[in-house]
Each structure stands twice: as structure tokens, then as C-alpha cells.
Amino acid sequence: MRYHINLAGTHYVFSDLKTLMAKATPMRSGDCLAGLAADNATQRVAAQMCLADVPLKRFLEELLIPYEKDEVSRLIIDDHNASAFASISHLTVGDFRNWLLSDLANSLSLAQVAAGLTPEMVAAVSKIMRVQDLILVSQKIEVVSRFRNTLGLRGHMSTRLQPNHPLDDPGGIAASLLDGLLYGSGDAVIGINPATDNYQAVTRLMHLLDDVIQRFEIPTQSCVLTHITTHLEAMEKGVPVDLVFQSIAGTQAANSSFGIDLSMLGEAHQAALSLKRGTVGKQVMYFETGQGSALSANAHHGLDQQTCEARAYAVARKFNPLLINSVVGFIGPEYLYDGKQIIRAGLEDHFCAKLLGLPMGCDVCYTNHAEADQDDMDSLLTQLGVAGVNFIMGVPGADDIMLNYQSTSFHDALYLRQVLNKKPAPEFAAWLTKMGIADPQGQMIAGESLPAGFAFLNNR
């Protein structure tokens, strides 16, 4: 179906909904690389105005990737909840934006419509929203998830403690892990990116994290971010696995490039559930995504990268994750060129995932060859905090020495918690007090020696 609009004396024609979505997307280098971006700012505005008049129902009728060619498209349509959609089914994309910004859209009403929204609907509305719009709507949404603690509660902000090491050295990992705990990091997950996918090396790390959590009775969960097939083998052999990790994307072809499909994700989900390792909940999956992954695999089917990213959230939603986060600036400037594009993308990803009902975090990060710096990341970090992000990363010094990129530090998390009066997950906050790391009011305790709970390490 063709889409038409007249603007400033020019008649614009967009050949189909997929093209309209791409031309309406705020500028980013990945779409330029793929030849999908608007020719100029005027064409982009024309596309955004035209998109605003598209009925939400159209996205159920004109699929951006055909149903018969893509299992993610089939998942989106087959799992669509018509009852949840009914109350907003008469709206256009522009009307939907107005409703989201109104007082009628509150935490309860947004939760009620989440299952009726498709990724394409939320991607479309994000394209016609300002930064403040994305923040305003996101902060209305509370998505709570549970495994050994309770994440996502309003007034709380969690961190993934990321003690990576380029040699997977247990001593180096342990030092970073202790450092993070002493700064109150790690309530979302203690998660290691292993330097190798070797089964023996990965499972040693799984045992290491489990030993620390069990010895110190830490109300958190661990994850070694290895391929899902390694998780399956580890679970089969009795290795302690809390969360199953996998990078996911928004098309079947892109997921195939990761060596996965929906069936494999379902198998791992059921295997992790069968272990029953959670204490306050049973959400056992951890997913990571990022704009540009489908394009980098030449698996985007002509879709703009932000719409592809939103489709990944349908995959995540299918398996009820404890955590999902966009590693927003990690792929590089070929996809998000500078700080401005990274900031916009991070806020879009957070907004779209939360609107679909997902417990969304963000790795506020950039690569050293991007036109970005720490000031840009401070801006995105603060904006995501105001928007109610569920969790961020905690990396020693913000510099990941294994993955060679810049993220957020333990100190960044303390800054955000202090300036926005945010607290860790309640169970984890109580543990910090019990261990002498924080006082009963949640303030970190500074000292010349280790807190009482770790005093035995002082002589080592």
C-alpha cells in the first residue's frame, strides 16, 4: 500500500509501510549505510506526519516482514492479544502518542494494553516522539521481575555487576566482584562476559559465582554470558545455572546468525525453570539486544534498525525474562555514529521495551572510535534514570578491559541513586546493611578496612 502526503508544496509518496517507517526514523548512521534513511530533514518530517495518520490496526494487516517468511513475524501475530488491544484499536499512531502523553495513560492502563501492542506499533509511535516524550511515558511504566530479589520497583534502580577479565582469571574476577559489592553493585545480576566459550572455562566461572553468592548469602543471581547451547549442556550436567543468557534480534535470519531460533530458546527456558533455583520468583532468562545487529548480519529485510530492534522485544517477551537490556552503543559508529544518536537510541529502546511490558535495562556505552565521550554517557545515564530504567551496568572504572568499550562504573550507579533518590532492590539493600556495606538509611559506609562481613579477607 502506498502512502501519500503534501508538505510545503511537494507531494511525497512512500511505497509501503516499511519504507514509511524507515524514512520517518530520526537520523542514524546504520540506516544511511543500508540506504534506508530519509534523503533530507524535510522528507523525514513528511514521513513522520504521514506515519502519524496510519491506524494502529494497519500493523496487523501489512506485515513489514511476511508471516510465511519469518518466525518472529509469526510470533508477533500469533501471540497478539486482541482483547488488550481493543481499547486503543481505533487510534492512529498520532492519536496513540497523544493518549500516551495524557493522564489517561497511567501505570495501570499501560500495563493493561501492553499485550495488545506489537513491536511495530511502539516503534512507529517512538519515531514521532521527542526525547522528553520518551522519558515521560517510560517513567509511568513499572515492570517488576523476580528471581532471588525484586527488580524494577518504583524508586529503585539496580545494577549488573560486570567483573570481566581478559584471561577469565579467577583472582582478577574476584577482585572486581568484591570491589563492586562494596559499592552496592550487583543486585540485578553478577554477570561475566567470558573471554572464551570453552565449556570447561565457562563452567568454572559458573561455579565461582555460585560459590560467592552461596557463601555470603547474597540475594542476587549469577549469569555467565555464554551461548545458549553451552547453558543447555551445563544445566544437563548439573552445573549451577541461575539465569540463561542469549543475544537476540528481531528477525529469524538475524537470530540464525546467532545460532538460535525460538524453539531453542523455549528449550532452554524450560530447562532453567526445572532447576527451581529462584527464591522469590522464577523469571530465568537474560537477553541482550542492540540496534544494528540485524543489519550487520544482512538480515534486516529492508527494515530500519530501530524497528528491527523493537521486534527483538517480541522474542524476549515470549520467554518472560528477568532482565533485558540494549547494549546501545556497543556495535559502533557504523550504526550509531555519535553521542546524539546513541542517546536517542537508548531512550527509544527503553521506551519501546517498557511499553511492551519488559523489565528493561541499558548498557550506557560507546566504543572508542565513535564520536562520543563520557559527557554523552552521563547525559544518557541521567535521562534513563529519570525515565525509570530498571538497571544499568557496573564496570570497574567504566572501562571494560575484556570487551574494550566504555560503559558505566560503580560510581556512576551511586551518582544516579543519590541524585534521583533511588535504592537497590529491597532484598539486596537489606543485605548491604547486614554486611556493614551500607547504613540502615542506605548510605554507603566508607572505611579504611573491609566491612565486618568481609573482615576475614583483610589478612589475605
Side-chain angles (χ1 to χ4, degrees), residues 332-365:
E334 299 84 0
Y335 305 96
L336 295 169
Y337 178 72
D338 57 15
K340 181 180 177 66
Q341 292 186 14
I342 293 171
I343 289 169
R344 171 82 196 190
L347 294 170
E348 287 171 349
D349 295 349
H350 177 252
F351 164 86
C352 289
K354 281 288 193 65
L355 203 50
L356 291 168
L358 287 164
M360 190 64 170
C362 186
D363 190 345
V364 180
C365 63

Side-chain angles (χ1 to χ4, degrees), residues 56-63 77 80 85 118 121:
L56 291 180
K57 288 180 179 178
R58 185 71 48 77
F59 293 96
L60 300 173
E61 302 161 354
E62 185 178 345
L63 302 191
I77 296 302
H80 181 251
F85 182 57
T118 70
M121 293 175 191

Side-chain angles (χ1 to χ4, degrees), residues 329-403:
F330 182 72
I331 302 182
E334 299 84 0
Y335 305 96
L336 295 169
Y337 178 72
D338 57 15
K340 181 180 177 66
Q341 292 186 14
I342 293 171
I343 289 169
R344 171 82 196 190
L347 294 170
E348 287 171 349
D349 295 349
H350 177 252
F351 164 86
C352 289
K354 281 288 193 65
L355 203 50
L356 291 168
L358 287 164
M360 190 64 170
C362 186
D363 190 345
V364 180
C365 63
Y366 65 101
T367 58
N368 286 310
H369 62 310
E371 290 294 320
D373 59 26
Q374 204 61 49
D375 285 344
D376 296 314
M377 297 306 102
D378 286 351
S379 296
L380 177 55
L381 173 67
T382 304
Q383 291 175 68
L384 284 168
V386 174
V389 71
N390 278 35
F391 69 100
I392 61 168
M393 302 299 116
V395 178
D399 184 2
D400 192 303
I401 59 172
M402 197 283 284
L403 293 173

